[in-house]
């Protein structure tokens, strides 16, 4: 009977159990912070991609032949050209597809008057959407990131 009582009151392995509980919380916190930083990184990339897409379309206005490649100048950018340009802005861990990029040629100028789409003085709008996969231990979700940029065509 005394041997059973000494086994029940024995605290030799208590540190291991306490470490296991504390380490679980600690590592969840560390991985959560890492995922939060990756989410901020992805959000910044989405904003930059939308801005660069509108800049690409802004400097390639209308009245010129279509672009044979994304690096050509003096040509009129189409929605596909803008999508291909944004897809070329690759960053590690972020996989955009053409369906994540929406290009709209607006029929208004910055002052609100009407104009012909994709002409000088009109505006172009690029929206980039990205579902950021949030992977924290014991928790998984997808956070929708989106950014829209509007610029006036200069050509």
């Amino acid at each position: 009977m005394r041997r059973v009582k000494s086994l029940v009151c024995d605290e030799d392995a208590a540190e291991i159990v306490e470490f296991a509980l504390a380490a679980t919380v600690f590592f969840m916190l560390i991985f959560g912070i890492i995922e939060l930083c990756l989410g901020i990184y992805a959000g910044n990339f989405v904003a930059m991609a939308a801005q660069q897409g509108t800049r690409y379309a802004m400097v390639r206005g209308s009245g010129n032949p279509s672009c044979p490649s994304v690096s050509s100048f003096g040509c009129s950018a189409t929605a596909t050209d803008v999508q291909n340009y944004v897809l070329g802005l690759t960053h590690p861990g972020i996989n955009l597809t053409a369906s994540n990029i929406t290009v709209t040629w607006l029929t208004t100028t910055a002052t609100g008057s009407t104009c012909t789409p994709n002409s000088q003085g009109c505006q172009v709008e690029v929206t980039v959407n990205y579902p950021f996969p949030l992977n924290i231990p014991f928790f998984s979700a997808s956070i929708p990131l989106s950014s829209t940029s509007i610029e006036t065509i200069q050509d």
Side-chain angles (χ1 to χ4, degrees), residues 46-61 77-79 81-83 85-86 89 101-106 118 122-128 147-155:
V46 167
M48 187 270 308
Q51 181 186 20
Q52 290 298 315
T54 52
R55 185 180 180 285
Y56 179 84
M58 176 187 78
V59 298
R60 290 163 178 79
T78 64
D81 293 332
V82 175
Q83 286 176 341
Y85 178 75
V86 172
L89 303 172
I101 304 160
T102 306
V103 181
T104 307
W105 307 100
L106 304 177
N118 200 12
C122 267
Q123 294 181 315
V124 60
E125 176 183 84
V126 176
T127 302
V128 178
S147 182
T148 301
S149 178
I150 300 173
E151 292 288 343
T152 303
I153 297 172
Q154 300 297 315
D155 189 314

Side-chain angles (χ1 to χ4, degrees), residues 3 16 35 41 47 55 77-78 88 97 117-118 122 124 128 131 139 145:
R3 181 158 168 79
I16 295 173
E35 284 293 319
Y41 166 76
R55 185 180 180 285
T78 64
T97 61
N118 200 12
C122 267
V124 60
V128 178
F139 181 75
L145 301 175

Side-chain angles (χ1 to χ4, degrees), residues 6-87:
S6 68
L7 285 175
V8 172
C9 295
D10 190 14
E11 295 183 7
D12 288 342
E15 296 88 10
I16 295 173
V17 174
E18 290 171 0
F19 174 76
L21 293 174
T24 302
V25 173
F26 176 73
F27 285 119
M28 278 183 56
L29 180 67
I30 293 297
F31 287 123
I33 291 171
I34 291 170
E35 284 293 319
L36 178 66
C37 292
L38 289 173
I40 292 170
Y41 166 76
N44 285 335
F45 170 72
V46 167
M48 187 270 308
Q51 181 186 20
Q52 290 298 315
T54 52
R55 185 180 180 285
Y56 179 84
M58 176 187 78
V59 298
R60 290 163 178 79
S62 66
N64 299 319
S66 63
C67 299
S69 72
V70 294
S71 61
S72 59
F73 296 100
C75 58
S76 180
T78 64
T80 305
D81 293 332
V82 175
Q83 286 176 341
N84 289 336
Y85 178 75
V86 172
L87 289 174

